[in-house]
Amino acid sequence: MRRALTAVLGAGALLLAPQAAVASPAPPAHGSLGKAAAATGRVFGAAITQVHMDERAYVSTLDREFNQLTPENELKWETTEPTRGSFDYAPADQLVRHAQSRGMKIRGHTLVWHSQLPTWVSDISSRRELLGVMRNHIWNVAGHYSGKLHYWDVVNEAFEDGTGARRDTVFQRVIGDGYIEKAFRAARAADRKAKLCYNDYNIDGRNAKSDAVYAMVRDFKRRGVPIDCVGLQAHLTLGNVPSDIRENMQRFAKLGVDVHVTELDIRMQTPPDSAKLATQADDYRKVVSACVAVPRCKVLTVWGVTDKYSWIPDVFPGEGAALLFDENYAKKPAYRAVIAALRGKHPGRPS
């Protein structure tokens, strides 16, 4: 938080001739990601892991830079309901309390997803039973945080790449196509105020998968199914921001839903070098500029604070360096590109 410069006057100050006012120091050139986003009516968030909250640099960067927080794993089913009917909110509660103490908005991720799912859920073969279990999970978890969370990723990654067909999950197999709608209706019953989102990867540009999501959202809006937003995860590779990302955001917005960039990172072959970092900066600029150009694109979230703890090297060996802060929490060229894009400028051009 900026501190105003205050002049402290002595007891005899009234006897002195009037002095020129002392100018407050100029605001920082960049401010912070959260402040720059807030100036455009948006939030800029990060996915946060509770296990790192005892690291000073991690927390100070979070608090300084971001005005929205997404628990990375703490609200997933395997954590919140590892045993049927037994709920554990302690890890997520810690993050929620921290976000509230800093005035951050909070994203719930995620209520229904085929991954990080306890075995006991995957073993259910009765439609009636699984539907009851899903609704009970949503009512309990979303209900526990009702009034505290601003957004929920209600259903995550329900469509296949390439074809846009429904992904073969226990929910799809046992409940059928209607499970997504039923999940959204249960989430609305549990929390009347949170924005309810569908979230997926590789729907950043127009393709068979994003077309399928678009058709679902259009159908939901026509029939009054409660859906407020679509999350474009934006896990991207260097130099491969879809050329039609802005148009894709706009077509969803025209359906009457907000658009969120929910898990942004842009990975490269490591180690990074100046050329790769410059390309990455331009890629981040493209994504953020697209969002700023679409009034209903309200949220930008990066999937992590620092390259030190990114998920990418574990999943894509030899790749990484995908975030805005390096392993030592230094700001990368992409950071400056994001700030410039939020301010409607191109990095390197005069203000």
Side-chain angles (χ1 to χ4, degrees), residues 220-233:
F220 280 9
K221 294 299 291 184
R222 284 176 176 172
R223 295 192 294 108
V225 179
I227 185 169
D228 304 300
C229 37
V230 173
L232 315 181
Q233 290 186 12

Side-chain angles (χ1 to χ4, degrees), residues 64-98:
R64 182 185 71 243
E65 294 290 342
F66 300 100
N67 58 357
Q68 185 253 310
L69 182 154
T70 301
E72 186 170 345
N73 294 296
E74 290 77 5
L75 285 171
K76 292 172 181 173
W77 201 316
E78 68 177 5
T79 301
T80 53
E81 194 185 4
T83 304
R84 185 169 182 170
S86 179
F87 292 87
D88 181 7
Y89 302 116
D93 281 351
Q94 179 181 339
L95 294 179
V96 168
R97 285 193 298 269
H98 184 86

Side-chain angles (χ1 to χ4, degrees), residues 129-195:
E129 182 182 5
L130 184 58
L131 183 56
V133 162
M134 184 184 76
R135 284 173 169 159
N136 185 66
H137 180 80
I138 293 170
W139 290 335
N140 275 276
V141 179
H144 178 80
Y145 292 104
S146 180
K148 298 178 181 179
L149 271 59
H150 299 80
Y151 324 100
W152 266 112
D153 291 330
V154 178
V155 177
N156 194 49
E157 300 176 4
F159 291 85
E160 294 280 5
D161 278 345
T163 65
R166 292 293 187 96
R167 184 185 293 274
D168 182 18
T169 70
V170 65
F171 302 105
Q172 181 67 37
R173 289 192 306 272
V174 177
I175 300 175
D177 285 350
Y179 88 88
I180 300 178
E181 175 179 340
K182 294 179 188 303
F184 273 85
R185 292 193 184 278
R188 176 56 72 229
D191 190 330
R192 293 290 178 183
K193 294 184 177 180
K195 296 253 186 197

Side-chain angles (χ1 to χ4, degrees), residues 13-316:
L14 294 176
L15 302 177
L16 302 176
Q19 301 292 316
V22 178
S24 297
H30 297 311
S32 71
L33 297 164
K35 289 176 182 177
T40 73
R42 294 169 172 82
V43 297
F44 204 106
I48 301 300
T49 301
Q50 182 265 338
V51 296
H52 300 316
M53 291 295 287
D54 59 354
E55 183 176 330
R56 182 176 298 177
Y58 187 86
V59 176
S60 64
T61 305
L62 164 66
D63 291 349
R64 182 185 71 243
E65 294 290 342
F66 300 100
N67 58 357
Q68 185 253 310
L69 182 154
T70 301
E72 186 170 345
N73 294 296
E74 290 77 5
L75 285 171
K76 292 172 181 173
W77 201 316
E78 68 177 5
T79 301
T80 53
E81 194 185 4
T83 304
R84 185 169 182 170
S86 179
F87 292 87
D88 181 7
Y89 302 116
D93 281 351
Q94 179 181 339
L95 294 179
V96 168
R97 285 193 298 269
H98 184 86
Q100 290 176 320
S101 75
R102 304 294 302 184
M104 297 176 181
K105 292 191 173 181
I106 308 163
R107 182 179 208 88
H109 178 78
T110 173
L111 291 168
V112 179
W113 187 32
H114 66 276
S115 187
Q116 294 181 252
L117 190 68
T119 303
W120 68 266
V121 181
S122 300
D123 289 343
I124 297 173
S125 58
S126 161
R127 182 181 185 279
R128 181 177 180 181
E129 182 182 5
L130 184 58
L131 183 56
V133 162
M134 184 184 76
R135 284 173 169 159
N136 185 66
H137 180 80
I138 293 170
W139 290 335
N140 275 276
V141 179
H144 178 80
Y145 292 104
S146 180
K148 298 178 181 179
L149 271 59
H150 299 80
Y151 324 100
W152 266 112
D153 291 330
V154 178
V155 177
N156 194 49
E157 300 176 4
F159 291 85
E160 294 280 5
D161 278 345
T163 65
R166 292 293 187 96
R167 184 185 293 274
D168 182 18
T169 70
V170 65
F171 302 105
Q172 181 67 37
R173 289 192 306 272
V174 177
I175 300 175
D177 285 350
Y179 88 88
I180 300 178
E181 175 179 340
K182 294 179 188 303
F184 273 85
R185 292 193 184 278
R188 176 56 72 229
D191 190 330
R192 293 290 178 183
K193 294 184 177 180
K195 296 253 186 197
L196 306 182
C197 306
Y198 176 78
N199 192 55
D200 216 326
Y201 66 94
N202 286 351
I203 61 168
D204 317 297
R206 187 157 185 173
N207 53 45
K209 187 175 186 179
S210 64
D211 285 350
V213 174
Y214 178 87
M216 180 190 72
V217 174
R218 181 178 58 191
D219 174 60
F220 280 9
K221 294 299 291 184
R222 284 176 176 172
R223 295 192 294 108
V225 179
I227 185 169
D228 304 300
C229 37
V230 173
L232 315 181
Q233 290 186 12
H235 291 298
L236 302 171
T237 57
L238 198 67
N240 289 303
V241 176
S243 60
D244 58 354
I245 186 170
R246 175 179 171 180
E247 290 78 10
N248 190 50
M249 291 176 174
Q250 188 62 54
R251 69 165 175 158
F252 278 108
K254 286 181 179 178
L255 292 177
V257 295
D258 291 340
V259 178
H260 297 174
V261 178
T262 55
E263 304 184 21
L264 176 61
D265 50 30
I266 301 176
R267 65 186 186 267
M268 64 180 72
Q269 291 289 328
T270 53
D273 58 33
S274 59
K276 293 175 187 176
L277 291 172
T279 300
Q280 183 185 60
D282 193 51
D283 287 346
Y284 266 99
R285 178 192 60 79
K286 290 175 181 176
V287 175
V288 175
S289 295
C291 180
V292 171
V294 177
R296 294 202 71 150
C297 184
K298 297 294 189 181
V299 176
L300 288 150
T301 303
V302 286
W303 201 249
V305 172
T306 165
D307 291 339
K308 181 179 180 180
Y309 297 126
S310 172
W311 65 284
I312 288 171
D314 290 337
V315 179
F316 299 99

Side-chain angles (χ1 to χ4, degrees), residues 322-344:
L323 294 168
L324 300 176
F325 296 88
D326 69 16
E327 294 185 352
N328 296 312
Y329 294 93
K331 297 172 183 175
K332 295 160 66 176
Y335 176 96
R336 293 184 286 276
V338 167
I339 293 287
L342 288 168
R343 297 174 64 188

